[in-house]
């Protein structure tokens, strides 16, 4: 491996693995030493094995109309205990802030009365749903699951790039990446003193996520229910994230249902089974708001359950994540999150935002239009990297089209300083090359604590120089290793009694959006 890295040229960005050519950073020293005995042919063989594992397990995605194994890079990303502690505390802070904001939005709206956030942001948000106004979740939680996208800038500082509190996807790849890596490179996980990552540190496991998620969902059930029934609501087998829906339902031991499997009577939701109707108390929905309840949203939707929002208002069922959360992960609201932290928590952000500019102000708009070739412009409601224009890389025609769109709808865009995302070695052909990466930690909120899955999803932009990491744009992922200090391993919560579950027969893919 040392010979292979002799040709590794650092990019003009912070490199996660190397301080300087040939010198790995401290968290990577054990991994570097463990990989040294592997030559180029061996690495390529192991990489092909990874792809076959994903294909055999149905972990594929649709790219340009073709089903492909989801690209998993052979070289993991490593985060030491101290850095992970900072990330975990920052994500918890962010989730608590957004939780407080959503309670305010669908309650007293004091944050708007106090002028911290302008009323026009709420009034112009397509994701603020008046039909959800006044709904009080059983345990006060609206953000049960969050995915907070984090990058590292040129100076090596972490920055929050985006908040996802509607239906964040990708955790299935965290679980599958680890399983595939343990099967393909078992020696890396051999443990202290056995040619693993080192005698002083070990890789924290990721298999706590399903029981943690199930425990949080059960805790969100209506107060009067002692043994709640939890279901995962999927749009169906043709949805790009169906693999994830089926996997989580199976690992939690709960039913995977479609809208046609549910019925609402007298403000109570039931699941139709071969033994009759069965009450449902918690719905972990992977259906967007617009399709969830045809009585309140799109009348032509067959993906949801008519009346489910009325049942949530009546307090007989909990919807996770809550309806209307999209107002909190609008990219325009993102620019106010540091102010919201001070307002609700009295705290400064532990990890700051990327430098961003709101374009509703006329002077800021004109400045941005004059500097489009030096800025990154993002649609506030975009997902999966779609619609982003990186000014320094755009041609004149693209910039002219962008200027028209921004001038026509300034509220629909934010401008950001271009950031060279940190790079990490990725196996391209037979040699490691620097590729840009980000990180999506997944947080589970049970109302008492916000727990983070150790590691999260590291996404990697595989084309050279590309900054958009989403798989829908040709990106892949890495197994993310969080190193723990020596000591007893934390125990997972005792899993709840398993419910009867449906064993899926078809796997679909996740396209990396939200």
């Amino acid at each position: 491996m040392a010979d292979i890295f002799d040709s590794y040229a650092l990019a003009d960005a912070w490199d996660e693995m190397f301080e300087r050519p040939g010198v790995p950073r401290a968290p990577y020293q054990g991994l570097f030493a463990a990989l040294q005995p592997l030559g180029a042919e061996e690495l390529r063989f192991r990489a092909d094995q990874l792809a076959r594992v994903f294909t055999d397990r149905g972990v594929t995605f649709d790219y340009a109309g073709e089903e492909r194994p989801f690209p998993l890079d052979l070289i993991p990303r490593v985060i030491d205990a101290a850095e992970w502690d900072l990330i975990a505390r920052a994500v918890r802070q962010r989730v608590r802030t957004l939780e407080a904001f959503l309670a305010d939005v669908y309650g007293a709206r004091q944050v708007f009365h106090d002028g911290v956030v302008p009323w026009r942001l709420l009034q112009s948000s397509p994701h603020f749903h008046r039909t959800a106004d006044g709904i009080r979740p059983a345990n006060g939680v609206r953000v049960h699951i969050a995915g907070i996208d984090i990058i590292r800038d040129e100076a090596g500082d972490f920055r929050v790039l985006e908040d996802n509190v509607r239906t964040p996807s990708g955790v299935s790849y965290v679980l599958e990446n680890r399983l595939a890596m343990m099967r393909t490179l078992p020696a890396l996980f051999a443990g202290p003193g056995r040619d693993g990552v080192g005698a002083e540190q070990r890789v924290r496991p990721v298999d706590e996520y399903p029981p943690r998620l199930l425990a949080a969902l059960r805790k969100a059930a209506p107060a009067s229910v002692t043994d709640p029934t939890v279901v995962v609501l999927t749009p169906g087998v043709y949805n790009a994230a169906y693999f994830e829906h089926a996997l989580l339902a199976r690992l939690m031991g709960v039913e995977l249902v479609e809208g046609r499997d549910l019925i609402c009577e007298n403000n109570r939701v039931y699941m139709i089974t071969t033994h009759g109707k069965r009450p449902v108390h918690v719905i972990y929905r992977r259906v967007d708001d617009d399709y969830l309840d045809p009585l309140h949203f799109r009348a032509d939707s067959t993906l949801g359950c008519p009346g489910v929002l009325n049942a949530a208002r009546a307090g007989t069922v909990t919807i996770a994540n809550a309806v209307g959360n999209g107002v909190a992960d609008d990219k325009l609201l993102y620019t106010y999150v540091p102010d919201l932290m001070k307002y609700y928590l009295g705290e400064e952000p532990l990890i700051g935002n990327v430098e961003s500019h709101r374009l509703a102000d006329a002077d800021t708009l004109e400045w941005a239009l004059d500097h489009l070739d030096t800025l990154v412009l993002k649609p506030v409601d975009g997902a999966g990297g779609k619609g982003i224009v990186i000014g320094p890389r755009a041609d004149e025609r693209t910039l002219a089209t962008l200027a028209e769109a921004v001038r026509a709808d300034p509220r629909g865009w934010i401008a950001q300083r271009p950031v060279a995302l940190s790079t990490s070695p990725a196996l391209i052909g037979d040699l490691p090359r620097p590729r840009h990466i980000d990180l999506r930690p997944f947080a589970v909120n049970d109302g008492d604590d916000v727990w983070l899955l150790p590691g999260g999803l590291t996404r990697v932009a595989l084309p050279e120089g590309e900054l958009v990491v989403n798989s829908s744009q040709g990106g892949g992922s890495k197994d993310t290793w969080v190193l723990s200090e020596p000591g007893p391993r934390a125990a997972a919560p005792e899993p709840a009694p398993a419910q009867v579950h449906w064993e899926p027969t078809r796997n679909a893919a996740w396209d990396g959006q939200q």
Side-chain angles (χ1 to χ4, degrees), residues 439-456:
L439 175 67
R440 176 175 289 186
F442 289 92
V444 176
N445 182 8
D446 67 4
D448 295 321
D449 181 46
V450 178
W451 175 83
L452 263 69
L453 170 66

Side-chain angles (χ1 to χ4, degrees), residues 138-139 144 213-222 228 230 282 446-449:
N139 64 341
H144 304 82
L213 176 58
L214 179 59
L217 294 173
R218 289 173 61 87
K219 201 168 181 179
V230 178
V282 181
D446 67 4
D448 295 321
D449 181 46

Side-chain angles (χ1 to χ4, degrees), residues 152-384:
R152 200 197 292 264
D153 65 16
E154 303 90 340
D157 296 324
F158 289 116
R159 300 285 178 187
V160 174
L161 187 65
E162 188 173 302
D163 302 300
N164 299 283
V165 296
R166 281 176 273 177
T167 55
S169 291
V171 73
S172 59
Y173 289 138
V174 179
L175 305 176
E176 290 291 329
N177 285 357
R178 180 58 54 81
L179 180 62
M181 287 290 291
M182 292 183 74
R183 289 182 175 181
T184 306
L185 290 168
L188 297 183
F189 300 90
R194 293 167 56 200
D195 298 322
V197 295
E200 300 302 321
Q201 296 170 307
R202 60 171 175 242
V203 181
R204 293 181 59 182
V206 298
D207 53 5
E208 285 186 44
Y209 185 85
R212 289 274 188 176
L213 176 58
L214 179 59
L217 294 173
R218 289 173 61 87
K219 201 168 181 179
S224 60
V225 180
T226 57
D227 186 18
T229 296
V230 178
V231 299
V232 177
L233 175 61
T234 176
V237 296
Y238 298 107
N239 182 266
Y242 180 75
F243 169 77
E244 178 157 303
H245 308 164
L247 179 71
L248 291 177
R250 177 169 59 84
L251 293 178
M252 288 192 292
V254 305
E255 291 276 8
L256 179 68
V257 300
E258 298 180 27
R260 61 189 176 184
D261 300 318
L262 302 177
I263 187 172
C264 186
E265 296 178 348
N266 299 319
N267 286 341
R268 293 184 180 276
V269 178
Y270 299 89
M271 173 172 48
I272 302 171
T273 75
T274 55
H275 299 288
K277 295 184 298 184
R278 180 180 176 186
V280 171
H281 307 105
V282 181
I283 300 174
Y284 175 33
R285 53 77 175 246
R286 299 300 294 264
V287 175
D288 291 342
D289 286 355
D290 287 345
Y291 301 92
L292 185 62
D293 188 338
L295 294 184
H296 293 280
F297 302 113
R298 289 189 53 156
D300 61 344
S301 172
T302 59
L303 301 179
C305 173
V308 68
L309 197 59
N310 293 340
R313 182 178 297 280
T316 63
V317 71
T318 298
I319 300 172
N321 284 351
V323 172
N325 276 14
V327 70
D329 63 16
D330 181 310
K331 291 183 181 63
L332 182 58
L333 191 279
Y334 160 92
T335 67
Y336 289 94
V337 172
D339 297 327
L340 295 176
M341 284 183 185
K342 300 171 190 175
Y343 179 74
Y344 290 116
L345 307 182
E347 299 174 2
E348 294 290 334
L350 293 171
I351 294 180
N353 285 2
V354 174
E355 179 186 324
S356 304
H357 304 275
R358 307 167 196 139
L359 304 183
D361 175 76
D363 291 339
T364 304
L365 174 61
E366 291 305 318
W367 170 81
L369 290 171
D370 289 340
H371 296 84
L372 287 181
D373 60 341
T374 66
L375 297 169
V376 175
L377 273 290
K378 293 182 177 181
V380 299
D381 200 31

